[in-house]
Amino acid sequence: MNIYTKTGDKGQTSLIGGRVNKDDIRVEAYGTIDELNGFVGQAIYQLDETETTLKDVKEELITIQHELFDCGSDLAFAKDDHPYKVTNDMISVLEKRIDVYMSEAPAIERFILPGGTPAATTLHICRTITRRAERLVVGVQREYKINAAVLQYLNRLSDYFFAAARIANARENVQDVEYIRSARVFKQPKK
């Protein structure tokens, strides 16, 4: 199998059902999702190497890698007549895991600085790349019909990465560092 096809040498690439310029916003969006997937792979590696208390997170990240391919696939169609892969069930699973992790993590009142353990740091990078991908998908939906669940999934996924990063630190007894000039932005639930 040849990895190079030379079909993109003039600045175009294939979508499913058509060709577009490589700077098309759809290509930029799913390319950013692909970049995110690479960092998720790095987080998985870091969990394998150093952190043994996060097997649940590692398993979820592997599932997320597949779901990120689903997001890219849903954005890569040039025509509207295809079944979508990203579903509301995927979003619900993320919400449940966010709730579990946020209830387990120590309470915070202010923004925190990205950092801590190697895996937590990479999960924060994943969060920021997810936000960029989400912004790009907003632009895509202004120009093209898309699966609305992709945008919702990315929105929830950034929250998941925040919660997972906090758990990666908490379970390894590494304290999150609050941003010193932050107002109190997180309210604790009333019991």
Side-chain angles (χ1 to χ4, degrees), residues 54 56-57 60-61 64 93-106 108 112 115 117 119-121 123-124 126-128 131 155-171 174 176 186:
L54 295 157
D56 52 343
V57 176
E60 291 161 8
L61 292 177
I64 287 167
V93 169
L94 289 175
E95 289 171 346
K96 288 175 186 163
R97 297 313 300 161
I98 292 165
D99 292 343
V100 167
Y101 293 152
M102 291 305 288
S103 68
E104 181 184 336
I108 56 172
I112 60 170
T117 67
T121 302
L123 289 165
H124 278 295
C126 290
R127 176 184 55 78
T128 63
R131 286 289 189 213
N155 189 351
R156 222 60 92 247
L157 184 61
S158 65
D159 294 333
Y160 169 87
F161 286 133
F162 178 79
R166 297 214 53 234
I167 284 303
N169 280 338
R171 290 186 187 170
V174 174
D176 289 316
F186 298 103

Side-chain angles (χ1 to χ4, degrees), residues 21-70:
N21 290 327
K22 288 187 176 186
D23 64 354
D24 185 276
I25 193 163
R26 291 174 292 190
V27 177
E28 185 67 27
Y30 70 69
T32 301
I33 291 169
D34 192 34
E35 175 187 354
L36 169 60
N37 214 339
F39 277 98
V40 174
Q42 180 174 330
I44 292 167
Y45 170 78
Q46 290 167 329
L47 291 172
D48 276 345
E49 289 296 301
T50 61
E51 301 174 46
T52 59
T53 61
L54 295 157
K55 290 183 180 170
D56 52 343
V57 176
K58 177 187 170 189
E59 290 172 9
E60 291 161 8
L61 292 177
I62 292 168
T63 298
I64 287 167
Q65 284 194 300
H66 290 278
E67 292 171 350
L68 288 170
F69 264 94
D70 292 338

